[in-house]
Amino acid sequence: MSFVPGQPVTAVVQRIEIQKLRQGNNLILGFSIGGGIDQDPGQNPFSEDKTDKGIYVTRITPGGPADVAGLMMGDKIMQVNGWDMTMVTHDKARKRLTKKNEDVVRLLVTRKSLEEAVKHSMGTYHKQ
Amino acid sequence: MPVDNYTNMEEKLWILEDLNMMYIRQIALSLQDSDIQKKIDHEIRMRDGACKLLAACSQRDQALEAAKSLQTCSTRIMAYMSELQRMKEAQVMQKVTRRSSDAGPMDDRLPCKGKVAISDLRIPLMWKDTEYFKNKGELHRCAVFCLLQLGGEIFDTDMVIVDRTLTDICFDNTIVFSEAGPGFELRVELYSCCSEDDYSAGSTPRKLASKLSSSLGRSAGKKLRAAMEPGPCSPVSNGGAAPLLLPVPSVPGPKYHLLAHTTLSLSHVQDSFRTHDLTISGNEECSYWLPLYGSMCCRLAAQPHCMTQQMMSGCLKVKVRWQQCGGDPQSWTKVYAVLKGTSLFCYHRQEDVEANIEPAFTIGINKDTRIRASEKDPHSKVQNICISNQYGGEEVTHTLTTDSREDTHRWMEAFWQHFYDMSQWKQCCDDLMKIELPSPRKPAPVTPKQGSLYHEMVIESSDDLSSTVSDILARRMQELELRSQLGTSPTWMSVFEENNAKSAGRTRHCTSRLSGHSPCTPHRLPRSPASPHRCPQLGLLSSDASLTSDSDSHCSTSPCSQHHGWPEPSSSFSLLSSSPSRLRPRTLSLDAKLSTLRGRGYGGGGAFQCPCQPPPSSLLAPLPISSRSPRSQRSTQTTLSCSSSTSSNSSSNSEGSHSPESSEGVPFSRPSPARRSLRNLRARLDPRNWLQSQV
């Protein structure tokens, strides 16, 4: 999941659609994020590449909307509703997720297991 | 003289319009279609209303809105009229073909219609860096909106004011077109209008206006003539620059111009966000120009009816055969089958469908399915239908039979139609795409900024799903009891305790933030992933963050209390009391800090909100806990301040002068938002932190 500056980033992504849950006056998603281009990437426990300044999911509230939708801890969020999340500040990322007039957020996330799954499936194909 | 020419022209336009209307009515009458007639009438009334409003209103934003509805109405009128023309042509053509007895492909299958929805429209802008970062100079503003047209339906988005501080033009609306065929063309047009002070045509000198209007004679006349021709060429897809069939009398006021357009079709439909290219009209010289990046991002989803509605239903008898079992027929199962989407749902009884009970079994019908009519069953003279699917390498065949030949024929017909629909709608039939209709919800009433701190004490439930106010208060009560046991202490000590209690109790993300300050960084780090679940939203803590950084400096010399951090407040307190000697060195720095704060605070407003500033008594009233025994204002205030994260912020922001015990006596007023964000920024830009926020 590291990137080469100037080259397009490619990743195997999964689409996750989260319906926000209304709690009083708030719409919550039920997870926490960490990271951002203004944060220290070395402290990110989930990233493989310790220079990765992307947005990672650090915690999922069990039973919450994100959990139900299939988001997992350690996922890296690439896109939220069409907006890129690979080069944003932490606050910008939070704001993109918590827009008041949006009921649904559609995320594109990537995780190591996805890459491996693709590699394995391609491997078996080649074996045949 | 010139004035006469001008009014003359206007009159001519009005007359032409009336003639047009009569012509339209004739066509509508001949087609016996009163529906479109009604729509046209409605739109014309709306347009007139918009014109009047435009002429009457004085406020800029009202005028812009009126001009927008004017543009929309005009476009709709044009669309309806061209549709009328098309219908007329179709009628004429039909008569012709019938006469020539040329049986065209009359049994052509028509694909089913569907819903097409476009949402989250976003158009990035590309300001020059000199333009974008300019801090002075007038803000050149443009009002923009989008017109979306599919078939006969035209919708407009809300208007957005764009200036050089925006990086993207975002339209929040979701537009749903209900009856679209698979060959649809969704035309997206971006209109913009310069939103400066003087746009009314009335302000241009009369002479100039008349000169312009008379000089338009040639080109305008040509356009009018073309429009008047009731020929087969209908100016429907000419783009926004096409002249209106009904020339609009010039109304003074803002006028929108087409800035960019694009056309989307079935190939652009996908269940995710995609970027499309825009064709930009206009150039830098135009007043309505905006530096568009050249693309548009949106989500275009389609739900064909074959995926959402029941295409066919009826009673059937089904038999299953697995490939490897070879062998032969088990008995027939009687089911009530419903064909919808990518499956044939087989229920035990018809009532199950409405009752939402799970079907007995489901037969997949997708592009890999093969359906054929088998040879006649010798027992009953009815043909069977065989449906073959591949389930992971195995072929499974379901055989259906009905009671009569007509039924079999109808089912076969339904299947063919279904396959045809799926072939026409292509990727939309792989999976059902979701279309959300935005609920017409009123935006949450914005609480006016009131003077009382009570209104700032919002307990955001985004804090933690499990923590409730009572929990928080219960915890506070514990701390309170502990503190009261410690007895009174010198002013600065209690201040310091407050500090600890606050920072310990307030937000747990402090712990990660403090990691940089305290010497026990490695110890803290493993806690940070665990702690953030108690982290309230960062936005919520906007001023909290700023506070923490200061409290950091206060507490930096008390690693012992931070060690145990939040979950064990008791130990922190006991530590405090047990090691007063350790406090001494801190006091000096604390004193120094306090004095500097005091100095700044007197400035009235204090960028540094001293967290040790006891909150004012005004806070005591709203919270029930104030009724508790410890009357020491400070402790109650601490309690109050810790009971919700924003309150701790607001507490220190409050008027210090209210508090009788504020021996510091610094009149801390609520800081300006600018200062608050400054402190925010400082905390967040601290590279030693790895922030986590709950969403």
Side-chain angles (χ1 to χ4, degrees), chain A residues 2-126:
Chain A
S2 54
F3 73 98
V4 177
Q7 298 298 315
V9 175
T10 54
V12 182
V13 290
Q14 172 164 354
R15 274 190 233 143
I16 293 191
E17 198 173 285
I18 306 182
Q19 299 278 342
K20 290 194 192 176
L21 181 65
R22 180 156 282 279
Q23 274 211 340
N25 212 19
N26 300 315
L27 286 166
I28 62 156
L29 288 160
F31 67 100
S32 302
I33 52 166
I37 53 177
D38 55 338
Q39 304 294 312
D40 176 12
Q43 297 185 40
N44 186 343
F46 301 103
S47 57
E48 276 197 10
D49 176 11
K50 287 305 171 190
T51 62
D52 185 1
K53 293 188 169 184
I55 305 291
Y56 282 79
V57 176
T58 55
R59 189 193 164 262
I60 308 267
T61 310
D67 193 20
V68 165
L71 194 64
M72 297 180 23
M73 194 162 82
D75 286 353
K76 177 176 171 184
I77 304 182
M78 308 294 279
Q79 222 186 65
V80 171
N81 280 353
W83 296 91
D84 172 63
M85 298 292 257
T86 58
M87 273 290 149
V88 288
T89 59
H90 183 94
D91 198 38
K92 197 76 176 173
R94 185 190 54 85
K95 281 187 186 146
R96 291 253 165 83
L97 286 161
T98 52
K99 286 216 161 93
K100 280 217 180 276
N101 56 358
E102 278 175 358
D103 282 337
V104 180
V105 280
R106 294 187 165 90
L107 312 180
L108 285 184
V109 302
T110 184
R111 56 179 85 106
K112 190 86 202 321
S113 53
L114 284 176
E115 309 249 2
E116 275 163 22
V118 170
K119 263 190 233 151
H120 280 150
S121 64
M122 286 179 60
T124 47
Y125 176 74
H126 282 137

Side-chain angles (χ1 to χ4, degrees), chain B residues 8 21 86 173 200 235-236 248 266 271 319 363 435 454 467 576 621 623 688:
Chain B
N8 227 1
M21 276 319 295
R86 246 180 296 127
N173 315 77
S200 50
V236 56
V248 183
L266 187 65
D271 199 7
K319 202 161 59 169
I363 306 174
I435 293 183
Y454 181 57
S467 91
L576 251 181
L623 280 190
R688 289 168 287 188

Side-chain angles (χ1 to χ4, degrees), chain B residues 489-594:
Chain B
S489 34
T491 312
W492 59 262
M493 260 303 294
S494 58
V495 154
F496 195 33
E497 282 170 21
E498 232 172 71
N499 242 355
N500 283 340
K502 261 196 234 180
S503 51
R506 189 189 312 139
T507 65
R508 273 58 78 190
H509 80 259
C510 295
T511 56
S512 57
R513 192 166 295 160
L514 289 169
S515 63
H517 292 280
S518 91
C520 42
T521 316
H523 176 71
R524 178 140 319 123
L525 206 48
R527 291 172 67 80
S528 17
S531 50
H533 75 276
R534 318 211 82 158
C535 265
Q537 270 195 12
L538 208 60
L540 159 73
L541 297 169
S542 51
S543 7
D544 238 355
S546 46
L547 283 175
T548 329
S549 59
D550 286 306
S551 66
D552 286 354
S553 42
H554 290 291
C555 307
S556 55
T557 44
S558 62
C560 55
S561 60
Q562 295 318 319
H563 247 301
H564 305 272
W566 164 229
E568 300 132 44
S570 48
S571 43
S572 71
F573 285 115
S574 50
L575 260 169
L576 251 181
S577 54
S578 61
S579 52
S581 56
R582 299 180 66 177
L583 299 173
R584 193 138 309 159
R586 290 175 230 156
T587 66
L588 294 171
S589 59
L590 185 60
D591 267 342
K593 192 79 186 188
L594 275 175

Side-chain angles (χ1 to χ4, degrees), chain B residues 199-491:
Chain B
Y199 42 61
S200 50
S203 69
T204 56
R206 214 57 173 132
K207 247 189 171 173
L208 187 59
S210 54
K211 268 208 191 134
L212 283 173
S213 58
S214 54
S215 74
L216 277 176
R218 194 149 164 251
S219 49
K222 231 197 307 185
K223 285 184 197 167
L224 286 173
R225 239 177 294 122
M228 277 307 296
E229 264 172 51
C233 57
S234 45
V236 56
S237 48
N238 263 358
L244 299 173
L245 215 51
L246 291 176
V248 183
S250 61
V251 182
K255 193 165 180 327
Y256 284 92
H257 302 91
L258 180 68
L259 184 57
H261 67 94
T262 185
T263 309
L264 303 173
S265 59
L266 187 65
S267 54
H268 299 114
V269 174
Q270 206 183 0
D271 199 7
S272 62
F273 293 86
R274 284 181 69 171
T275 312
H276 312 276
D277 291 325
L278 283 176
T279 316
I280 304 180
S281 35
N283 52 34
E284 282 182 15
E285 309 302 322
C286 309
S287 64
Y288 55 88
W289 170 254
L290 280 173
L292 301 178
Y293 183 72
S295 52
M296 176 185 81
C297 206
C298 68
R299 181 174 178 262
L300 186 62
Q303 278 181 349
H305 288 151
C306 62
M307 297 294 288
T308 52
Q309 295 172 357
Q310 293 185 5
M311 299 308 284
M312 178 79 190
S313 56
C315 286
L316 289 176
K317 286 197 280 241
V318 186
K319 202 161 59 169
V320 189
R321 194 180 71 213
W322 294 76
Q323 187 185 26
Q324 76 278 35
C325 303
D328 224 19
Q330 305 99 10
S331 54
W332 296 98
T333 323
K334 224 169 172 279
V335 292
Y336 182 77
V338 172
L339 177 62
K340 184 167 111 167
T342 53
S343 326
L344 183 70
F345 299 99
C346 299
Y347 297 89
H348 283 301
R349 302 165 309 159
Q350 187 171 355
E351 297 74 38
D352 291 350
V353 183
E354 283 97 38
N356 263 339
I357 302 179
E358 286 289 316
F361 51 91
T362 308
I363 306 174
I365 311 272
N366 49 43
K367 45 190 195 286
D368 297 326
T369 310
R370 269 175 295 286
I371 300 189
R372 63 180 201 284
S374 69
E375 62 294 337
K376 281 203 172 64
D377 194 358
H379 303 293
S380 62
K381 306 245 172 71
V382 179
Q383 274 184 314
N384 292 340
I385 303 173
C386 292
I387 304 177
S388 313
N389 275 312
Q390 290 268 347
Y391 287 117
E394 274 186 37
E395 188 172 329
V396 183
T397 306
H398 295 267
T399 314
L400 313 171
T401 191
T402 57
D403 293 328
S404 66
R405 291 178 70 175
E406 292 78 33
D407 280 349
T408 310
H409 188 66
R410 279 195 303 128
W411 274 101
M412 282 306 287
E413 182 63 29
F415 286 132
W416 290 136
Q417 178 66 37
H418 204 69
F419 279 139
Y420 181 70
D421 291 341
M422 298 209 298
S423 71
Q424 291 294 299
W425 282 98
K426 303 193 180 109
Q427 74 270 20
C428 308
C429 292
D430 293 337
D431 250 324
L432 187 63
M433 298 189 195
K434 287 230 198 101
I435 293 183
E436 280 101 28
L437 289 168
S439 50
R441 197 179 351 128
K442 281 210 194 106
V446 177
T447 47
K449 291 248 187 270
Q450 303 217 357
S452 140
L453 282 158
Y454 181 57
H455 293 272
E456 294 208 348
M457 265 169 33
V458 175
I459 300 188
E460 296 270 350
S461 50
S462 58
D463 224 330
D464 192 6
L465 286 179
S466 58
S467 91
T468 61
V469 177
S470 46
D471 282 356
I472 299 171
L473 291 179
R475 287 197 289 266
R476 289 292 132 250
M477 277 152 64
Q478 280 179 18
E479 280 184 32
L480 208 58
E481 269 150 9
L482 285 165
R483 188 112 35 62
S484 59
Q485 287 166 19
L486 292 176
T488 54
S489 34
T491 312

Side-chain angles (χ1 to χ4, degrees), chain B residues 62-116:
Chain B
Q62 268 183 3
L64 286 169
E65 285 285 350
K68 174 172 88 106
S69 23
L70 183 62
Q71 177 75 42
T72 313
C73 291
S74 308
T75 318
R76 282 195 182 129
I77 290 172
M78 204 168 83
Y80 292 148
M81 286 175 48
S82 45
E83 194 177 321
L84 257 185
Q85 293 235 343
R86 246 180 296 127
M87 284 167 69
K88 183 72 179 171
E89 282 162 36
Q91 208 187 47
V92 168
M93 292 299 287
Q94 264 191 357
K95 287 200 195 124
V96 170
T97 47
R98 258 188 238 135
R99 256 184 256 130
S100 67
S101 69
D102 182 3
M106 294 301 276
D107 49 5
D108 234 357
R109 234 177 251 286
L110 289 175
C112 66
K113 303 270 183 186
K115 268 207 262 193
V116 172

